[in-house]
Amino acid sequence: MVIKRLFLAAALLCSTTASVPSIAQSPDISFDAYLQLLIARARAEGVSEATIRRMTYDLTPNERVIRLDQSQPGTPTRSGYPALAPYIATHVDQARINGGRNVFAANRSTLRAMENEYGVPGEIVVAIFGHETAYGQVTGNFDLARSLATLAWEGRRRELFAGEFVDLLKVADKGYPRSTLQGSWAGAFGNPQFLPSVYLRLAKDGDGDGRADIFNNRADTFASIANYFQDAGWRKGQPWGVRAFVPAGFDVDRYKTKLNAPVCSRVHERHSQWKTVKEWRNLGVRAQKPLADDVMVSLFQPDGPNMPAWLLTSNYRVILEYNCSNYYAMSVGLLADEIAQ
């Protein structure tokens, strides 16, 4: 840590680059000086000089990225949760359902082969594809190198984005042009919206051509999403969840979870304790679709008593690994169910 501070100070003193007055500057170093530290790290981690040059030669801070990052909401209040039903109505609409069914039908054999290899249902993979990028139609148009360098320099989550910037250069070193490496302002890219570190760890070549092209190749996209889910612990043969019958007057609060989640606590606190399907049935809560008696499930009734309820398996938690939001995970699961029909 002391050595790191010394390098930062030295870089700051040696920098002759003018600051950018319209952007809230990092308190300890100018953008150009910090970029040189990122370049040195990329070089030390094996990125080629040619890639470093083409990815960094003209980088400047992106003021819009900083505004977007600084406008991210903080910790939510505990005044309640928005209803799930309106969210589902807009995110699992007929257009998205039809789009998913068309994608599934056009890629049925590829998805079946992927499912055999990774154990993840094709409809789940297609639902992620649909939610992340509207089946490849909306993948983002931010220059990833500029966005990630800006976010690292800004400093709010410096180490995270510094690592992602270097990993982006490693992705570029595989032969991807900078014009292809575009995505969201926060650095996610391609059909599945992977961060660079996730791409390097989990992207897969789905068609055997020697390249994991998640930008244009459907087979690679599907295999990469499936590999992500397998890595996160997806259990083959289990649904993400099923609708549940909850008897009138059932006291859901009596079975509140005692889990103290280190991350996404407000997501997990809404789920009940884990019990087997048989244990829930003995309490009067019944699965509306076949589910083995010994499967561990959690009861979730997002919109309160006398409203729809679900029994969630551990595979629901895998969807949360992709995006830690009950609204997101429920909409993915319900969209996948519609696609499969």
Side-chain angles (χ1 to χ4, degrees):
M1 182 61 72
V2 173
I3 293 174
K4 181 178 179 181
R5 285 201 199 100
L6 288 174
F7 275 120
L8 287 171
L12 178 60
L13 290 172
C14 293
S15 174
T16 58
T17 305
S19 62
V20 183
S22 63
I23 296 177
Q25 295 285 301
S26 171
D28 53 7
I29 192 169
S30 73
F31 178 83
D32 281 3
Y34 184 68
L35 180 60
Q36 293 307 308
L37 295 178
L38 292 176
I39 288 172
R41 176 171 168 178
R43 186 178 291 122
E45 294 187 21
V47 179
S48 70
E49 291 297 327
T51 293
I52 290 173
R53 284 194 299 273
R54 69 182 173 86
M55 294 295 290
T56 67
Y57 76 96
D58 63 345
L59 290 184
T60 58
N62 187 324
E63 186 172 0
R64 185 182 174 203
V65 167
I66 289 180
R67 287 199 304 269
L68 287 167
D69 185 53
Q70 293 179 347
S71 67
Q72 289 300 289
T75 302
T77 67
R78 305 188 67 84
S79 59
Y81 301 93
L84 176 69
Y87 184 92
I88 297 302
T90 58
H91 288 77
V92 190
D93 59 359
Q94 200 59 50
R96 192 163 291 184
I97 293 169
N98 291 341
R101 288 174 178 170
N102 291 337
V103 169
F104 191 97
N107 298 275
R108 190 179 302 274
S109 60
T110 299
L111 289 164
R112 290 305 182 207
M114 175 273 302
E115 185 171 343
N116 289 335
E117 181 172 356
Y118 297 99
V120 181
E123 59 267 23
I124 287 287
V125 170
V126 173
I128 291 288
F129 182 29
H131 272 283
E132 290 296 325
T133 58
Y135 307 111
Q137 297 180 68
V138 184
T139 57
N141 58 7
F142 284 83
D143 177 1
L144 293 171
R146 189 182 182 204
S147 292
L148 289 170
T150 298
L151 289 166
W153 168 69
E154 177 204 15
R156 190 168 76 87
R157 292 173 287 176
R158 171 163 289 179
E159 188 52 38
L160 167 66
F161 287 115
E164 294 298 340
F165 176 86
V166 172
D167 284 344
L168 176 70
L169 267 57
K170 293 176 183 177
V171 175
D173 226 8
K174 295 179 180 294
Y176 291 106
R178 187 164 159 188
S179 59
T180 296
L181 295 174
Q182 296 188 8
S184 77
W185 66 267
F189 60 85
N191 290 321
Q193 291 291 281
F194 280 179
L195 286 170
S197 60
V198 175
Y199 175 92
L200 293 174
R201 190 168 67 89
L202 296 174
K204 285 292 183 180
D205 171 15
D207 60 1
D209 66 356
R211 192 176 194 181
D213 179 5
I214 63 172
F215 302 93
N216 305 298
N217 188 302
R218 290 286 176 88
D220 294 357
T221 295
F222 298 151
S224 297
I225 295 171
N227 190 45
Y228 185 106
F229 271 58
Q230 183 188 66
D231 181 76
W234 184 272
R235 294 189 177 184
K236 184 177 181 179
Q238 280 190 13
W240 62 273
V242 299
R243 279 289 297 270
F245 168 80
V246 178
F250 185 82
D251 185 6
V252 177
D253 289 343
R254 183 178 177 184
Y255 303 99
K256 279 187 174 180
T257 182
K258 298 178 182 178
L259 173 68
N260 184 14
V263 295
C264 301
S265 59
R266 276 176 55 88
V267 169
H268 295 291
E269 74 182 8
R270 302 183 70 188
H271 304 164
S272 77
Q273 301 169 18
W274 289 90
K275 295 182 181 296
T276 65
V277 171
K278 183 177 181 179
E279 287 172 330
W280 282 117
R281 188 168 62 246
N282 290 338
L283 293 170
V285 177
R286 300 193 302 272
Q288 298 298 285
K289 290 184 178 180
L291 206 53
D293 281 355
D294 61 350
V295 172
M296 297 294 293
V297 288
S298 175
L299 178 62
F300 184 41
Q301 197 168 22
D303 292 343
N306 303 315
M307 297 298 287
W310 286 265
L311 290 173
L312 307 175
T313 74
S314 62
N315 284 342
Y316 180 85
R317 299 295 178 95
V318 174
I319 302 175
L320 288 173
E321 288 288 322
Y322 214 98
N323 185 323
C324 196
S325 160
N326 280 312
Y327 301 92
Y328 178 90
M330 287 296 298
S331 61
V332 166
L334 292 171
L335 177 61
D337 289 350
E338 293 288 345
I339 291 169
Q341 288 183 9

